[in-house]
Amino acid sequence: MLANVILGVLGLFTLWFVIVWVKGIKEEKAGAPTPHLLAVGFVTNFFDTLGIGSFAPTTAWFKGAKLVQDRIIPGTLNVGHTLPVVVMAFIFIQRVEVEPLTLSLMLIAAVAGAFLGADIVSGLPERKVQLGMGIALLVTVGFMLLGMLDLMPVGGEAVGLTGAKLVIAVVVNFILGALMTLGIGLYAPAMALVYALGMSPLVAFPIMMGSCAYLMPAASVKFVKNKAFDMKAALGLAIGGVPAVFVAAYLVTSLPMDVLRWLVVAVIIYTAVTMLRSAAKSAEAEAK
């Protein structure tokens, strides 16, 4: 019952986002995305569905191939990946039981954080975006490495929280929602939060997928209205990404995931260093 209510509200959120985005597409008269951008959308969302995450790999691809200006990468990530993430939520969120109050409050907190964060990030100058994303990528790698090296808490059996633990979960998810608008993927830190609070590892999936699916339409509406994203790149992520979710969810049975995760870590570290070097160069140029 709860899952149906959550998905029904998510459907309304997504409809709101689609209406705003379609209006923006008509106003900008954007052309079709290139095959390269469609490939970015397909590949990153394919691996996102398998649990690797999409924000950091997409940032690395955009930066390495010089497809999107650094300043508007956060907005492009949020707008472009919204529809694929919503599809993931509809596929997976009904499979795991979570205590209703815990899930509802954490979803609301994530949306509130993203709604606030999107306005702030939309107005940041390029140097601050480069610096923020460089740090964000390193944070993401840190969480990925903790999980890959089995250094994160192992979790417990709880499917819900009360008292101080519930307050901590809500506050932290608010912060994670705000940080996601800067390009920090929510999956890894949300999983660490769930484990640390003694909840069942399975509970991480509806919480992190639901949080992303709820907050991204809210944040993306802000990015669209502020025109702080790349239209063609976002369209490429969405159009290429939605079918990739179905392929990964229903057709893929086995992949060398450990090798792929280490490869992604290496690429993200390289991109983080590149982003921080760009920020340093921007600071030097401003000082002259």
Side-chain angles (χ1 to χ4, degrees):
M1 179 65 180
L2 172 64
N4 291 334
V5 173
I6 288 175
L7 293 176
V9 175
L10 175 59
L12 294 176
F13 258 60
T14 306
L15 179 61
W16 170 44
F17 159 68
V18 169
I19 291 172
V20 173
W21 194 13
V22 169
K23 182 180 178 182
I25 293 172
K26 290 180 179 178
E27 290 177 352
E28 190 169 319
K29 297 180 181 179
T34 64
H36 190 173
L37 291 170
L38 293 172
V40 177
F42 186 92
V43 173
T44 56
N45 282 285
F46 176 87
F47 289 114
D48 190 35
T49 311
L50 299 178
I52 286 181
S54 61
F55 272 30
T58 307
T59 300
W61 201 329
F62 281 168
K63 182 70 174 175
K66 298 180 180 179
L67 294 174
V68 178
Q69 292 180 354
D70 291 349
R71 188 186 69 80
I72 55 175
I73 286 179
T76 307
L77 295 175
N78 279 273
V79 176
H81 284 305
T82 290
L83 293 181
V85 168
V86 169
V87 172
M88 286 180 221
F90 272 89
I91 292 174
F92 292 115
I93 206 169
Q94 299 185 72
R95 297 185 180 182
V96 180
E97 177 189 356
V98 186
E99 192 274 321
L101 182 62
T102 299
L103 181 59
S104 299
L105 290 178
M106 291 186 74
L107 295 184
I108 292 170
V111 172
F115 202 69
L116 174 66
D119 262 343
I120 297 172
V121 173
S122 294
L124 289 176
E126 184 168 67
R127 182 180 66 82
K128 289 186 177 179
V129 171
Q130 290 168 334
L131 179 62
M133 292 204 72
I135 296 171
L137 290 170
L138 292 177
V139 171
T140 301
V141 165
F143 278 110
M144 289 181 69
L145 288 173
L146 286 174
M148 292 161 65
L149 298 174
D150 295 323
L151 297 176
M152 283 201 300
V154 296
E157 300 297 327
V159 296
L161 300 169
T162 58
K165 286 188 175 181
L166 179 57
V167 173
I168 291 171
V170 170
V171 171
V172 174
N173 225 37
F174 174 88
I175 295 170
L176 294 179
L179 292 176
M180 193 162 170
T181 63
L182 188 58
I184 296 182
L186 185 138
Y187 281 16
M191 188 173 291
L193 172 65
V194 167
Y195 289 4
L197 293 174
M199 299 180 75
S200 166
L202 287 176
V203 169
F205 288 90
I207 287 177
M208 64 190 186
M209 286 184 175
S211 295
C212 292
Y214 260 75
L215 73 85
M216 289 177 72
S220 296
V221 165
K222 289 279 189 177
F223 283 119
V224 171
K225 289 184 175 180
N226 293 332
K227 297 183 178 180
F229 74 109
D230 184 296
M231 183 67 80
K232 281 190 176 183
L235 284 170
L237 294 180
I239 297 171
V242 170
V245 173
F246 287 103
V247 171
Y250 294 117
L251 299 181
V252 174
T253 56
S254 64
L255 280 173
M257 297 304 296
D258 288 340
V259 175
L260 290 170
R261 286 191 179 96
W262 282 109
L263 178 61
V264 169
V265 164
V267 172
I268 293 172
I269 292 174
Y270 171 80
T271 306
V273 172
T274 303
M275 196 71 76
L276 292 172
R277 289 181 61 188
S278 296
K281 290 179 181 178
S282 298
E284 290 176 3
E286 290 176 6
K288 291 181 180 179

